Amino acid sequence: MNKDKLKEIQNELPENVTLVAVSKMHTKEEIDEAYKLGCCIFGENKVQEMKDKYNPDYTWHMIGHLQRNKVKDVVPLASMIQSLDSYRLAQEIEKQCAKINKVMPVLIEVNISRDPGKTGVLLEEAPSFVKQCMCLEHLDVQGLMCVGPLTDDEDKIEGCFERMHALFIKLQNEYGEDKFKYLSMGMSDDYHIALRHGSNMVRLGSIIFGKRNYNK
């Protein structure tokens, strides 16, 4: 873990920006260390990893693609699901939350780069999808999330993030800033660009924890 880099990031992030430390494929011990250094929200991509590492003292966000058959496992643990990408998934979250009388904060995932290999609703579908999900009693739609395009072309990244920000502002104007709060945008390689385009929640993993060992 790069403690100096983490401190630098914490100092540079504006006060209105929430840091989600992406702890996928990192150990409980690494998470504990990050917590001691001031990280309090951890993002996991896989439900099983969240279950294995879960500590009720920390706040957990589900940031990866969520299968409907795993919703029942994640709902009791997560404080937010950032990857809501279909109405069938929304209905399953509603169903499982109703069972335990929980209202789940969610972000709508937008496939802003229109990448066929990525999940998320398309930009033009997002407003009607948000409206649909707002009608579900046990969902609290609090904003949008996206993954930037995997490219070295900064202009392409800027374009995607700017379109996301424009959509966020449009929906914020419609539903109110108190209701529609978060634009989760920016990861280790592109969070500086995301911040320039209005992101107020960044999901940082390798820049904090170091490179992951995919052979574990």
Side-chain angles (χ1 to χ4, degrees), residues 69-104:
N69 65 344
K70 299 288 180 67
V71 170
K72 64 182 182 297
D73 295 320
V74 81
V75 154
L77 309 179
S79 295
M80 175 179 278
I81 294 171
Q82 292 203 24
S83 48
L84 178 53
D85 61 358
S86 76
Y87 193 63
R88 290 179 75 191
L89 177 58
Q91 288 175 308
E92 186 62 27
I93 296 170
E94 167 69 23
K95 175 182 169 184
Q96 298 301 332
C97 283
K99 288 180 181 178
I100 60 171
N101 196 28
K102 179 175 182 175
V103 176
M104 177 65 73

Side-chain angles (χ1 to χ4, degrees), residues 103-107 136-143 179 181:
V103 176
M104 177 65 73
V106 298
L107 303 182
L136 296 173
E137 187 179 350
H138 293 87
L139 266 62
D140 180 13
V141 182
Q142 294 191 354
K179 171 73 175 168
K181 307 179 215 178

Side-chain angles (χ1 to χ4, degrees), residues 52-65:
D52 291 344
K53 300 173 194 175
Y54 182 72
N55 181 330
D57 294 335
Y58 308 160
T59 298
W60 299 88
H61 286 196
M62 183 66 198
I63 61 173
H65 179 61

